[in-house]
Amino acid sequence: MSNKQQSTTITLPRGTLDLTYQTNMVVSNRDSEKDNSYQLEDLLGFAQRINPKRAFLFVSKVLGRHIPVAPSTMRHAFTDLANLVPNELPAPILVIGMAETAVGLSAGVHQALQTRYPQALLLNSTRHAQHDENSDPNGADSLLTTFCEDHSHASQHLIYQSSDSVAQEQLLASKTLIMVDDEASTGNTCVNVVTALRNAGLTQLKQVHLTTLVDWSLDQENTNQQTEEVKPARMADRLTGIEFHRHHLLSGAWQWTDAPNPEPITMPSVDTTAAGSQALGHTGNWGRFPTLDSTEGFDKYLSSFQAAFARFNDQKIFNDQKIFDVTQLPKRILVLGSNEFVWLPFLLAEWLEAASQKSDSDTDAIVKFSALTRSPIALGGAITTMLSFSDNYGLGMTNFAYNVEPSDWDLIVLCVETSSDSVDDLWQNLDNVLVVSPTL
């Protein structure tokens, strides 16, 4: 069920973005008396990309990537989106998320779906070349396939298979694909993913469910997003032999008009799928390889945070019963994931939010979540501040943190999957930053 169509115009330095859109009702376990729909201003802000392929960016307010968001707000969006996926889908079911922006979203949707589909697999694309510790000792390639995201600042994606024979058999036998992304525009990425997976051996796919926070591809019959004067065909027509469905919190269409004589821009070099010189520590399996349980390793990760906080705070954090003393947590906490490593950090932020609320119901404690990213975005619009620094993976590229003013927070928990000394001095030199790193 959808509300009436609305329209708005967004003016950015390089042009104007004309939107027509409609909000969609969602089934929620929250207050049933409330109008359970997301308005445009609930979901999105707008900014300018530093990218000649596409000049504008939809900046999510519920994703925890470019704008700090309360973990509870993110969890509601994950669950509401998952609730749009129908029952009785053909099994086996594969939930796949798009790096880097949507890997936390996909894990959240997958976790919510497991109340109905406990055997659904989660698999995220990645731009970080992986070595599976459980793979063939002779070094057999665990890469399943690759695909291209045409409009992205980093277009190449990798998808890995499983070294576990049972999980691998289920992966290849998948009949339903639930593709999770923050937004859809032309549908090209979805088509590219499905084509790559089918060519890699997932030949039994019967249904594809494109599941996004916002879907701008619904007006393809009338779109003026053209390639060589040819309008893109509808996604359903490009996926032959597959039943295609869309699920989203808001939908519509966009039209971009360049400003007269826009200044040329140079995009930073961020399009690489190299492993980087910094080793990745073990943080559990949260989707770079197929998994049923994306929360594997969180208990250990939480203990690592608690021990790190004890050292950082230079106080006795555990009482005589070895229970973490939440009263020592500061009031304003920002948890930062890093690039694709966002799911366990999000779960940590969610735990901190609950712990802060339990410690004293009368406090004004604030916990929010965001992430470091390789996405180059210009200041302006939804992007009010930008920090730039060297990446922690040893790739030699610039990373960014948007809408993060360090002095606004009593504690910034910076979560990385590399060693703590891989973090740029910008973070190391701040006395309110606690780096949480796995044991390598």
Side-chain angles (χ1 to χ4, degrees):
M1 181 177 179
S2 301
N3 295 329
K4 65 179 183 179
Q5 194 170 85
Q6 303 175 64
S7 62
T8 190
T9 298
I10 308 298
T11 302
L12 295 169
R14 294 184 62 83
T16 56
L17 184 63
D18 291 301
L19 304 177
T20 56
Y21 65 94
Q22 59 192 28
T23 59
N24 300 321
M25 297 296 292
V26 297
V27 178
S28 174
N29 293 326
R30 288 174 282 160
D31 186 357
S32 60
E33 299 300 317
K34 179 183 174 182
D35 175 15
N36 289 320
S37 63
Y38 289 80
Q39 301 301 314
L40 181 69
E41 58 271 20
D42 298 329
L43 289 173
L44 293 176
F46 304 89
Q48 180 172 294
R49 289 172 179 255
I50 305 176
N51 186 338
K53 299 177 185 177
R54 182 181 292 178
F56 61 91
L57 180 71
F58 300 109
V59 184
S60 175
K61 295 181 179 180
V62 299
L63 194 59
R65 173 61 65 171
H66 305 119
I67 296 175
V69 183
S72 53
T73 298
M74 295 172 64
R75 177 64 75 175
H76 286 319
F78 298 162
T79 303
D80 288 344
L81 186 57
N83 285 344
L84 297 176
V85 175
N87 294 322
E88 300 181 0
L89 294 178
I93 295 170
L94 174 63
V95 178
I96 190 164
M98 299 295 100
E100 67 181 359
T101 303
V103 293
L105 176 63
S106 62
V109 169
H110 173 262
Q111 192 177 46
L113 284 171
Q114 283 193 308
T115 60
R116 290 181 284 149
Y117 299 112
Q119 294 304 308
L121 279 176
L122 171 67
L123 177 58
N124 288 318
S125 75
T126 180
R127 295 189 179 105
H128 292 281
Q130 298 293 300
H131 170 66
D132 185 354
E133 295 176 356
N134 299 315
S135 65
D136 188 314
N138 295 319
D141 191 358
S142 56
L143 186 66
L144 176 67
T145 190
T146 64
F147 70 91
C148 185
E149 184 180 9
D150 299 324
H151 68 269
S152 177
H153 57 278
S155 58
Q156 295 299 314
H157 290 247
L158 311 173
I159 299 178
Y160 284 87
Q161 55 195 330
S162 180
S163 60
D164 178 84
S165 59
V166 175
Q168 181 67 8
E169 182 179 353
Q170 177 177 334
L171 172 66
L172 295 177
S174 297
K175 292 184 178 178
T176 298
L177 177 69
I178 300 172
M179 178 176 158
V180 180
D181 209 348
D182 57 324
E183 56 105 357
S185 295
T186 63
N188 289 339
T189 301
C190 181
V191 173
N192 292 349
V193 170
V194 175
T195 301
L197 289 174
R198 293 171 92 177
N199 290 340
L202 277 71
T203 57
Q204 300 182 52
L205 285 175
K206 297 181 180 299
Q207 293 189 20
V208 170
H209 294 256
L210 178 59
T211 306
T212 57
L213 294 172
V214 182
D215 192 333
W216 297 110
S217 66
L218 297 185
D219 195 26
Q220 287 187 332
E221 295 300 328
N222 298 312
T223 186
N224 48 20
Q225 301 166 44
Q226 300 181 12
T227 302
E228 296 179 349
E229 306 304 323
V230 178
K231 296 178 182 178
R234 294 171 60 248
M235 274 184 280
D237 296 336
R238 289 186 278 169
L239 296 173
T240 57
I242 288 182
E243 189 178 318
F244 179 75
H245 304 269
R246 297 181 178 95
H247 313 290
H248 40 262
L249 302 180
L250 181 143
S251 58
W254 57 261
Q255 177 180 338
W256 173 258
T257 304
D258 283 329
N261 304 313
E263 293 184 9
I265 58 175
T266 302
M267 184 173 65
S269 178
V270 295
D271 194 0
T272 178
T273 55
S277 62
Q278 294 288 339
L280 303 186
H282 182 65
T283 55
N285 184 3
W286 35 267
R288 279 202 182 118
F289 296 94
T291 185
L292 288 174
D293 182 12
S294 65
T295 65
E296 174 198 348
F298 177 67
D299 290 343
K300 182 178 180 181
Y301 192 73
L302 178 59
S303 296
S304 296
F305 161 76
Q306 292 174 342
F309 183 72
R311 295 189 298 269
F312 179 82
N313 209 37
D314 196 26
Q315 294 183 21
K316 186 176 181 182
I317 296 303
F318 295 91
N319 63 19
D320 293 338
Q321 288 75 42
K322 305 296 184 184
I323 298 174
F324 186 75
D325 184 0
V326 298
T327 64
Q328 295 193 43
L329 291 170
K331 286 190 174 182
R332 299 173 300 167
I333 302 174
L334 175 65
V335 179
L336 289 175
S338 48
N339 298 89
E340 295 171 10
F341 182 55
V342 293
W343 179 240
L344 293 189
F346 163 76
L347 294 177
L348 173 61
E350 193 173 47
W351 183 90
L352 286 167
E353 183 180 41
S356 297
Q357 293 171 353
K358 286 180 181 177
S359 64
D360 185 347
S361 59
D362 294 328
T363 68
D364 54 353
I366 297 174
V367 176
K368 290 194 175 182
F369 180 82
S370 193
L372 316 184
T373 176
R374 64 169 71 183
S375 301
I377 311 172
L379 283 170
I383 305 298
T384 58
T385 66
M386 175 183 67
L387 299 173
S388 60
F389 42 90
S390 296
D391 79 281
N392 59 290
Y393 292 95
L395 291 165
M397 70 169 61
T398 302
N399 276 188
F400 308 92
Y402 298 107
N403 295 311
V404 172
E405 178 54 60
S407 61
D408 289 345
W409 303 96
D410 300 320
L411 176 66
I412 297 175
V413 184
L414 176 55
C415 303
V416 295
E417 54 181 333
T418 52
S419 64
S420 58
D421 61 7
S422 67
V423 174
D424 190 273
D425 286 346
L426 180 146
W427 302 106
Q428 303 274 17
N429 293 335
L430 291 171
D431 59 11
N432 61 336
V433 172
L434 166 60
V435 178
V436 179
S437 171
T439 302
L440 299 176

